[in-house]
Amino acid sequence: MAAVSQSANLVEKAIGHVDGGVTEQNMTNPERDREAYGDPSGEKMKALVWMGKNTVQVVETLKPKVIEDRDVILKVTGSTICGSDLHLYHGSVVQLQKGDILGHEFCGRVDSVGPAVKNLKTGDRVVASFQIACGECMYCQKKLSSQCERTNTNKVENIMYGGRTAGMFGYSHFTGGFAGGQAEYVRVPYGEVNLLPLPDDVPDERGLYLSDVLSTSWNCVVDTGVKEGDVVAIWGAGPIGQMCAEMSFMNGAKRVIVIDGGAAAWRLDLVKSKTPKVETLNYTDLAKGETVTSKLKEMEHGGPDVALECAAGEYAKGMGHKIELALGLETDTSEIVNEMITSVKSFGRCGITGVYVGFTNHFNIGGLMERGIRLIGNGQAPVHLYWKDLLKKLQDGSLDSSIMLTHRVNIDEMDTLYEKFDARADNIQKVFVQTRFSDPPAPGTPALTSWK
C-alpha cells in the first residue's frame, strides 16, 4: 500500500486539482513552509506525525498562523485516537506524506481568529467537526457537511468515487491535506462553521466526542433505519460499535448483538459491562462448522433485521483476502459485508460505517439482489447535521459518552498509544489525550496513564 500511496501522490501532482476550492489545502505541517504557514513568533508545539507505515512520532514543529480571514487558531485541550487513524498508521489510506500531522477529533480554546470571524473570541471553549465545511455549498446548506463541495479539491478521490468528500483534518492529502488535531495547536478553516461552542456543564472529556464518534455512531444507526422492535447485529465492539449498541436501544431496538473476537475479544466484556442488555458473539469461540451467520440465525429466527458494520475493510480473516490485499489486488476485504448480507432477514438492512477506501473482490451481489437486502453506505457522517442535538442529549443525560472512555494520556506518549491501540493492548477503548493546555481531569473520568 505504501507504493500505491506514493503513486497516488504522483498522479495527483500530474493531473492537478478540481476547480472550486475555497481554502488553503495540502499544508499538513507548518514546517513545510515556515514563512507561509508558521506563526511569526516562532513558537513551537508538539504534534504527532506520520513517518511511514506503522511509524508515528511526537515531534516539535511550528505553531500554525491565521492565513485566511475566516481561520481560527485553536489551542488544543483534548484529542483522541480513532480506529480510522489506524488505517493511516497502516498506510491503508493513500496520499500520506512523511511529516503529516494526524488527528481528526479534537476540542480546545480559541487562541486567535481571522478578521472575518465575528462570533468566536479568544478563550472560547469549542469542539471541532472532523470534516471541514464551507457552510455555503449545496450540501452544506442541508447540513450534509461531510460532502462539502469546496474544501477538498483532490482529483484522485473525485475520479475514484465519482465525487469528493469534504476536506478532513489530519487524514492525508486524499482528503485535502489539512494538518490534524493530535497537536497543541491547529488551524481551523471556516472556524465559525466548523467549531461548536461547548457549555460549562459539558467538560472536554464528554464534549470532545461530538467531533466524530458520537455523530458517526448516531448517523450509522439512524441512516440504516434502526427502529422500534428491530433486532440489530453490530460487527465491531470498538467505540463506534459500542455507541451504536447504546443508540440502537435509544431508537427502540428490541435486541442488540455485538460481534468481535481475536485480540479484541475483551471489548465484548467491556460493552456488556456498560450496557447489560447487549448480547455478544465471539467469533473465535465458534465451534467447528459454525459461522457468524449460522450463529446469528440460531440466536434469532431468520437473522437480525439490521446489520451495522463498525469495523473496516482492511481486516481480512481468510487467507485468500489476505493475499489479495498484500498483492494490491483489492484495497478492502468483502468478508464482513458478505457476512452481513447472509445473516440478516430477507429485505434486511445493512449499513457500512467502518472505513472502506477503494475496491473489493468476491462480493456477494447475488445474495444482495435475490433476497432484497438493502446495503447502505452510511458515508462519512455529516457531523453538522447532528452535533447540536447530540450536545443537548449530553446535557440532559439521555446520552453518556463516558461509557467508552477508559484512558487518559499525555500527548508526549501518543506514539506509544498508537502501538498499544493497534495491538488492542491494555484494554484501551477510547482515550482522552491531554496537552499542556488541558484542564484538570473532570470528576469521574480516568486518571492519567503513563508508559514511561
Side-chain angles (χ1 to χ4, degrees):
M1 284 300 297
V4 173
S5 183
Q6 296 313 310
S7 296
N9 283 325
L10 292 173
V11 169
E12 180 72 15
K13 187 174 181 179
I15 65 177
H17 299 279
V18 177
D19 294 334
V22 293
T23 186
E24 184 79 11
Q25 298 172 43
N26 294 302
M27 53 152 295
T28 51
N29 189 326
E31 290 281 2
R32 297 200 189 284
D33 189 332
R34 299 168 67 92
E35 184 174 345
Y37 305 133
D39 190 88
S41 70
E43 182 179 349
K44 296 280 191 172
M45 68 172 184
K46 292 176 182 176
L48 188 286
V49 300
W50 187 83
M51 298 299 288
K53 183 177 180 180
N54 297 329
T55 305
V56 293
Q57 291 178 11
V58 177
V59 301
E60 273 204 343
T61 186
L62 279 174
K63 172 186 174 181
K65 70 177 182 181
V66 168
I67 60 173
E68 294 171 344
D69 287 353
R70 298 176 69 177
D71 281 355
V72 169
I73 302 301
L74 200 65
K75 189 179 290 185
V76 176
T77 57
S79 66
T80 188
I81 187 172
C82 174
S84 56
D85 287 323
L86 293 181
H87 310 315
L88 299 170
Y89 184 60
H90 299 152
S92 299
V93 176
V94 297
Q95 291 194 259
L96 282 159
Q97 296 178 15
K98 188 176 180 179
D100 287 353
I101 299 174
L102 305 185
H104 58 274
E105 297 177 87
F106 56 94
C107 62
R109 293 185 181 274
V110 173
D111 181 69
S112 60
V113 301
V117 176
K118 306 302 181 186
N119 297 319
L120 291 172
K121 63 183 185 303
T122 300
D124 284 351
R125 288 182 60 236
V126 291
V127 60
S129 64
F130 74 85
Q131 59 232 212
I132 300 164
C134 73
E136 299 163 357
C137 71
M138 172 179 70
Y139 292 112
C140 286
Q141 288 177 22
K142 299 175 183 178
K143 299 295 183 183
L144 301 177
S145 47
S146 62
Q147 305 301 317
C148 176
E149 298 176 294
R150 304 168 70 204
T151 58
N152 176 17
T153 59
N154 187 284
K155 189 173 283 189
V156 172
E157 186 182 26
N158 199 71
I159 292 169
M160 283 181 64
Y161 298 161
R164 305 178 308 285
T165 64
M168 297 180 195
F169 290 105
Y171 217 76
S172 89
H173 297 260
F174 193 65
T175 62
F178 294 89
Q182 290 169 353
E184 292 180 315
Y185 290 96
V186 63
R187 166 187 170 252
V188 180
Y190 287 87
E192 290 175 307
V193 176
N194 297 300
L195 295 170
L196 179 71
L198 289 174
D200 291 341
D201 60 347
V202 177
D204 286 353
E205 292 90 341
R206 295 170 64 207
L208 163 64
Y209 304 108
L210 292 165
S211 190
D212 180 358
V213 59
L214 295 180
S215 300
T216 294
S217 301
W218 188 257
N219 181 63
C220 179
V221 169
V222 300
D223 189 54
T224 313
V226 174
K227 64 182 187 302
E228 191 76 30
D230 277 342
V231 176
V232 180
I234 299 173
W235 274 253
I240 298 291
Q242 180 179 9
M243 295 313 301
C244 280
E246 187 75 12
M247 291 169 173
S248 291
F249 283 126
M250 290 171 63
N251 279 273
K254 179 175 64 176
R255 299 174 66 190
V256 176
I257 305 163
V258 180
I259 304 150
D260 214 321
W266 60 265
R267 302 192 301 192
L268 295 170
D269 295 329
L270 172 68
V271 173
K272 180 76 171 175
S273 72
K274 299 295 184 179
T275 308
K277 294 185 291 183
V278 160
E279 301 167 60
T280 61
L281 197 170
N282 184 342
Y283 63 76
T284 49
D285 287 345
L286 293 173
K288 186 176 181 180
E290 281 189 322
T291 64
V292 170
T293 292
S294 68
K295 192 64 178 177
L296 286 171
K297 290 182 182 292
E298 177 187 314
M299 296 172 74
E300 169 67 21
H301 179 69
D305 302 288
V306 179
L308 304 178
E309 206 285 22
C310 301
E314 70 162 293
Y315 301 113
K317 292 191 287 186
M319 186 55 65
H321 281 283
K322 288 180 180 179
I323 292 171
E324 290 180 1
L325 285 169
L327 294 176
L329 300 176
E330 64 178 359
T331 59
D332 305 274
T333 175
S334 58
E335 290 163 293
I336 291 178
V337 176
N338 285 344
E339 281 184 351
M340 294 163 62
I341 290 169
T342 56
S343 295
V344 294
K345 292 181 175 71
S346 294
F347 300 103
R349 305 180 301 286
C350 300
I352 302 177
T353 280
V355 172
Y356 287 71
V357 297
F359 302 94
T360 188
N361 300 326
H362 316 296
F363 173 62
N364 189 359
I365 193 169
L368 181 81
M369 180 271 157
E370 297 290 351
R371 298 181 55 234
I373 308 303
R374 273 61 175 162
L375 182 60
I376 302 160
N378 301 126
Q380 296 289 349
V383 172
H384 297 185
L385 185 63
Y386 304 119
W387 62 350
K388 289 182 180 179
D389 287 339
L390 291 170
L391 175 59
K392 291 177 183 176
K393 293 181 188 299
L394 290 176
Q395 288 181 284
D396 67 23
S398 60
L399 176 62
D400 182 8
S401 61
S402 69
I403 63 173
M404 61 181 168
L405 182 58
T406 57
H407 289 71
R408 183 186 188 99
V409 302
N410 197 289
I411 192 170
D412 293 345
E413 298 188 58
M414 274 215 82
D415 47 1
T416 303
L417 174 61
Y418 265 77
E419 295 174 10
K420 298 277 189 180
F421 193 64
D422 184 40
R424 309 293 193 265
D426 294 7
N427 289 5
I428 298 170
Q429 180 75 327
K430 198 66 178 174
V431 183
F432 183 87
V433 178
Q434 68 177 29
T435 72
R436 59 188 158 122
F437 305 123
S438 301
D439 292 329
T445 62
L448 185 67
T449 294
S450 177
W451 296 289
K452 290 184 177 178

